Amino acid sequence: MARPRKPLLSRDRIVTAAAALVDSEGLAAVSTRRLAAELGVSGPSLYNHFRTMDEILEAVADAVSAQVDLSMFEGGGDWRTALGDWAVSYRAALTRHPNIVPVLARGPGRRPAGLRLADAVFGAMTAAGWPPAQATSIGAVMRYYVLGSALGSFAGGFVDDASAYDPADYPHLGQAHLLAEHQDRVDERAFDTGLRALLDGLQLQYELVAVHG
């Protein structure tokens, strides 16, 4: 029997094609018609594997969550170091796929990789001695911070036109037009600064928990 000319449609092929569209053109580009055209299939055939387009986007989001390294939570190491390393890995995954962040911001829902991520953070914090309620809050605040950092670039939000920052109106923005040129460096430094401040604050809380229980 001759081989089919096109690879058989599968969940993985659909997710890969949808992820490529999201990365290159954004969430609005992903429609049944467009995705079917990219895969060379009929639109209805997609729904043999997924019930809705939203379910496809959830699968794309979960594939991104699966890229986050969780190995730092294994072996019972220092909770602060592990949490910081995890935040860096999490942000790196989102930086590679920023257009899917709005879907991830909904929460893990039923996504397996998203739930494993939440489980790893909560488990590591409670194992380190954090009370469950505070461990939940830590997972939430870290998620807010990392997702927020990936929603857009601070430096990229300033135009590279010096005339936009008239010193009569903005006396402290004389160098703002240079920010976009150094976008990656500025944003990376800002993320690191905030992460250290966040971890420092958590460390103080942890010491209070250890003293007062």
Side-chain angles (χ1 to χ4, degrees), residues 78-139:
D78 174 65
W79 68 268
R80 174 181 171 143
T81 300
L83 198 61
D85 290 345
W86 167 78
V88 170
S89 177
Y90 193 5
R91 180 175 180 267
L94 301 187
T95 299
R96 291 191 294 269
H97 308 283
N99 292 335
I100 199 65
V101 171
V103 179
L104 287 163
R106 301 172 189 168
R110 296 178 180 274
R111 299 193 298 267
L115 290 170
R116 283 193 295 271
L117 187 154
D119 181 73
V121 174
F122 181 81
M125 295 306 102
T126 53
W130 285 97
Q134 286 179 283
T136 299
S137 294
I138 290 170

Side-chain angles (χ1 to χ4, degrees), residues 48-71:
N48 293 326
H49 301 274
F50 293 94
R51 290 174 297 179
T52 64
M53 183 56 63
D54 190 61
E55 199 173 89
I56 294 174
L57 293 175
E58 288 285 321
V60 172
D62 208 42
V64 173
S65 292
Q67 298 175 17
V68 181
D69 185 11
L70 300 177
S71 64

Side-chain angles (χ1 to χ4, degrees), residues 139-166:
V141 75
M142 295 300 292
R143 179 173 166 273
Y144 297 153
Y145 180 65
V146 176
L147 284 171
S149 75
L151 280 173
S153 165
F154 172 80
F158 292 85
V159 298
D160 61 357
D161 178 4
S163 67
Y165 308 103
D166 188 328

